[in-house]
Amino acid sequence: LSLCHAVMPHGDFSDLAGLLCLGAGAASIYSPEFATMEYGPLKPFFTTASAETTMVIQFLGGLLLFIGFTLFTNRWNTVNGKLSGIGMLAAGGNSAYIAWKMDAGVFVLRGWYIFAGLFALTGLSLMFMANPVWTAAALKKVEDAKKAKNK
């Protein structure tokens, strides 16, 4: 375990969610038609394609890129993870509500529900599986242990 890894661990759920948001964001910007296509049992995000729909999808792609980079680079802890987690839960609830309204209160499997689940699980992860807050004493202990190992 290097000090770099101890300061910025990767591989937790927020990293996975970040990578998925990055991929979806890039796809939304460069191939926005994916959001209006069916994939097996998965119905499209939008049922009609228009110039305005394309612009909205591309705009949302930029937001997904931002969310992805933020999830991947921030070290979530017990201080900053709570409110961010609430925000992700709100985004997940909003995504599910959009799909529910689209289909007049009938469940139809759409990409919205995939994002709703991803955002909800990410929110719970940020809130309840956060990294401990580093204190000066804890950092000094890690640095001292590393120095002792290198002697």
Side-chain angles (χ1 to χ4, degrees), residues 24-25 28-29 46 55-65 112:
S28 297
I29 291 170
F46 298 97
M55 287 185 274
V56 167
I57 293 167
Q58 289 176 314
F59 173 76
L60 293 174
L63 295 177
L64 284 169
L65 286 179
W112 293 108

Side-chain angles (χ1 to χ4, degrees), residues 66-119:
F66 173 76
I67 292 169
F69 286 126
T70 302
L71 288 172
F72 195 75
T73 59
N74 197 354
R75 186 174 192 281
W76 302 103
N77 60 44
T78 55
V79 175
N80 67 9
K82 301 293 187 225
L83 193 56
S84 302
I86 291 170
M88 290 301 287
L89 289 173
N94 186 53
S95 297
Y97 183 67
I98 288 168
W100 189 256
K101 275 182 44 177
M102 278 181 74
D103 298 313
V106 175
F107 179 80
V108 175
L109 184 59
R110 293 187 181 276
W112 293 108
Y113 290 114
I114 304 297
F115 277 94
L118 176 68
F119 291 160

Side-chain angles (χ1 to χ4, degrees), residues 5-17:
H5 187 266
V7 172
M8 185 54 132
H10 282 290
D12 61 6
F13 192 80
S14 67
D15 290 335
L16 173 63

Side-chain angles (χ1 to χ4, degrees), residues 120-146:
L121 290 174
T122 301
L124 293 172
S125 174
L126 295 179
M127 293 169 67
F128 301 113
M129 297 171 63
N131 298 299
V133 177
W134 282 100
T135 63
L139 271 176
K140 182 169 178 2
K141 188 176 179 181
V142 169
E143 289 172 358
D144 290 345
K146 186 175 182 182

Side-chain angles (χ1 to χ4, degrees), residues 24-65:
S28 297
I29 291 170
Y30 297 108
S31 296
E33 65 277 359
F34 94 93
T36 59
M37 297 168 37
E38 287 189 33
Y39 299 96
L42 192 63
K43 301 298 181 197
F45 287 90
F46 298 97
T47 54
T48 58
S50 68
E52 289 83 10
T53 305
T54 298
M55 287 185 274
V56 167
I57 293 167
Q58 289 176 314
F59 173 76
L60 293 174
L63 295 177
L64 284 169
L65 286 179

